[in-house]
Amino acid sequence: MAPVSKNPSSDGAAIPIPGYLIGVYEWAYVTPRAVKTFERQWLVNLILWGNFNRLRDCALDALGHDLPGQTLQIACVYGDLTTRLAQRHAPSGKLDVIDVLPIQLENLQRKLQAQSTGSIAVNTLLGDSSAMKLATASYDRALLFFLLHEQPEEVRRKTLAEAWRVVKPGGKLVIVDYHRPAALHPLRLTMHAVLKYLEPFALDLWRHQVAEWFPPDVAPASFEQRTLFGGLYQIIEITR
């Protein structure tokens, strides 16, 4: 059984649920029915065309092994990403997971109680990714796993600014998300239709590079981007 620390919020205050989550993503994240439906490893793998494990492992490999210090996962993720991330930490390491939806944090806490995370405790925080009440330069690394495509542009910009703010100089930010597929990708038309009707903000990632949404004064020490599965997905490693 994994140790889990439960915090009501990152600063003890109530957090309103963003309107775009209720208006666009209630079916996927906000209700008990949504959690019951989508918290299935095989289903999240199917949604990603059999690529969940590959994308998860790419994100984890980008962060590293035997991770010291403190890691921030921004937003809960269906499947076993958080468990696997916790297992990558050294005994002295710490992992915080922040999400704006209490129901998602409760679901994560249930998963962590049922699965092994090694020797570290996972701390869950209630907070908005676009306005995190976390200290500047307080994390050695942060992960955004399929979050940006779910947010309107103005929220996405704030989330990236916040993620950058909380990572220490020399630390790493890893982003995994959708990307515009190759012109002849066999799933291109299908995915365009799916995203247009179910995840309309995601098509922004087909039209723009993630780097465009960072604050203009951001000057990373390194910025590496690569695509997978014919360009449909991307992974970005940024060193501050």
Side-chain angles (χ1 to χ4, degrees):
M1 181 178 294
V4 181
S5 176
K6 302 180 182 180
N7 284 1
S9 72
S10 57
D11 67 349
I15 304 291
I17 298 176
Y20 72 87
L21 274 178
I22 297 173
V24 178
Y25 282 104
E26 185 176 27
W27 60 273
Y29 300 112
V30 180
T31 67
R33 181 177 180 180
V35 172
K36 184 177 180 180
T37 299
F38 288 99
E39 187 52 86
R40 305 169 194 266
Q41 189 81 18
W42 67 266
L43 182 55
V44 293
N45 191 48
L46 179 64
I47 290 169
L48 295 174
W49 300 100
N51 286 281
F52 176 81
N53 290 352
R54 182 185 181 193
L55 292 164
R56 176 202 65 204
D57 291 347
C58 283
L60 297 178
D61 289 344
L63 292 168
H65 294 268
D66 298 319
L67 298 171
Q70 195 146 343
T71 303
L72 178 65
Q73 178 186 315
I74 304 174
C76 295
V77 175
Y78 290 132
D80 64 356
L81 170 74
T82 306
T83 300
R84 298 295 186 101
L85 177 55
Q87 293 170 351
R88 291 289 186 109
H89 283 72
S92 61
K94 297 179 181 179
L95 173 59
D96 290 349
V97 183
I98 189 168
D99 200 291
V100 75
L101 293 173
I103 193 170
Q104 287 294 324
L105 294 172
E106 292 163 4
N107 178 57
L108 175 59
Q109 289 159 2
R110 287 192 297 269
K111 285 195 295 183
L112 293 171
Q113 289 290 344
Q115 302 170 9
S116 173
T117 59
S119 60
I120 73 162
V122 179
N123 189 40
T124 57
L125 303 172
L126 182 63
D128 190 328
S129 66
S130 66
M132 295 187 290
K133 307 300 183 182
L134 300 171
T136 296
S138 55
Y139 289 91
D140 297 281
R141 64 199 66 85
L143 173 63
L144 291 161
F145 192 88
F146 282 94
L147 174 64
L148 297 181
H149 78 275
E150 297 170 347
Q151 299 181 323
E153 181 178 346
E154 64 273 16
V155 178
R156 190 182 308 127
R157 288 181 180 275
K158 293 177 181 177
T159 292
L160 286 169
E162 282 290 274
W164 185 257
R165 180 184 65 80
V166 301
V167 171
K168 299 176 182 178
K172 179 175 281 191
L173 174 61
V174 173
I175 301 168
V176 179
D177 219 307
Y178 286 110
H179 183 271
R180 184 173 186 168
L184 298 179
H185 197 294
L187 296 173
R188 183 184 174 100
L189 293 179
T190 299
M191 284 303 301
H192 189 279
V194 169
L195 297 177
K196 179 179 179 180
Y197 290 104
L198 292 180
E199 303 195 73
F201 308 127
L203 290 176
D204 286 354
L205 279 82
W206 285 33
R207 295 185 283 262
H208 300 277
Q209 295 295 320
V210 170
E212 297 177 37
W213 296 310
F214 276 96
D217 59 343
V218 166
S222 67
F223 187 105
E224 300 178 16
Q225 178 188 31
R226 60 190 174 100
T227 61
L228 301 92
F229 197 57
L232 184 57
Y233 309 114
Q234 63 181 314
I235 178 166
I236 301 173
E237 301 180 43
I238 309 169
T239 303
R240 180 159 184 178

